[in-house]
Amino acid sequence: VLDIPGRLFPVEVRWQPPAEGEPADAPVVADAVEACLQEGPGDVLVFLPGEREILEAVETLRGRASCREVDVLPLFGRLGDAEQDRAISTGARRRVTVATNVAETSLTVPGVRWVVDAGLVRLSRWSSKSRVQRLLVEPAAKASLEQRKGRAGRVAPGVCVRLMDESDFASRADAVPPEIL
């Protein structure tokens, strides 16, 4: 794991685990986003594991009254170029960008002061027994979670809301394991 220091404003981490046995699904994510929008200025970047989860969260957020004055935009690999450009460009209105881990390192979404992180990632895994490559949803590694957190501190002090508890974070792998072992 490489740690390369750069310009970064302080980022406050808040732990908001879902209720016992409940997944960090669209309503839980929407509640966290609404709290961010009500608390302070800046755009919100949400990390979810895949396209299906993103589209569900976008639909849920667009249906909420508190999100009618903001642009709720999806961001994932299969999205067309125009939609991807719209998600990463600045505009007159406040934005909520719901993304996969493509927004973790590949690009910087300007204006983000809030990050809501479900703590999950969809990773490609090779199964030597079945000789098939699969995309599995797994808990994100600590290094990935820290990288995501840093997205909130690019332009000013920010806040990262993690939809997990501290013990869950502490039990995770330090780095993403290799795709093929």
Side-chain angles (χ1 to χ4, degrees):
V1 176
L2 296 175
D3 183 20
I4 302 169
R7 190 178 126 223
L8 184 66
F9 291 92
V11 178
E12 174 190 348
V13 177
R14 297 182 185 168
W15 305 95
Q16 189 176 322
E20 187 71 30
E22 184 179 316
D25 58 2
V28 171
V29 169
D31 291 344
V33 169
E34 279 186 312
C36 295
L37 291 171
Q38 293 171 3
E39 190 171 331
D43 294 341
V44 181
L45 176 59
V46 181
F47 285 100
L48 292 173
E51 182 179 338
R52 182 178 49 97
E53 294 88 354
I54 288 171
L55 294 176
E56 287 174 4
V58 166
E59 183 180 328
T60 301
L61 284 164
R62 287 179 177 163
R64 302 252 177 132
S66 63
C67 294
R68 292 206 175 104
E69 298 299 317
V70 299
D71 291 327
V72 180
L73 306 167
L75 180 59
F76 50 87
R78 282 186 351 117
L79 205 58
D81 289 343
E83 289 89 3
Q84 286 187 14
D85 288 343
R86 186 169 174 236
I88 62 173
S89 63
T90 57
R93 290 171 34 128
R94 204 167 172 194
R95 289 176 304 147
V96 175
T97 305
V98 188
T100 61
N101 58 341
V102 69
E104 185 177 311
T105 58
S106 306
L107 53 93
T108 297
V109 181
V112 172
R113 301 267 307 267
W114 300 85
V115 167
V116 175
D117 193 350
L120 300 171
V121 66
R122 189 175 301 275
L123 293 174
S124 178
R125 293 285 178 221
W126 172 258
S127 173
S128 59
K129 291 180 183 175
S130 62
R131 296 180 179 232
V132 174
Q133 191 158 353
R134 303 176 299 171
L135 286 172
L136 301 174
V137 174
E138 299 179 1
K142 288 179 189 175
S144 293
L145 295 173
E146 288 300 303
Q147 181 72 27
R148 293 174 179 189
K149 175 185 89 172
R151 296 293 164 189
R154 295 284 185 230
V155 295
V159 176
C160 175
V161 179
R162 290 186 173 151
L163 302 179
M164 66 187 81
D165 58 26
E166 289 182 74
S167 62
D168 182 9
F169 175 79
S171 68
R172 294 183 182 217
D174 290 333
V176 179
E179 186 175 324
I180 300 175
L181 297 174

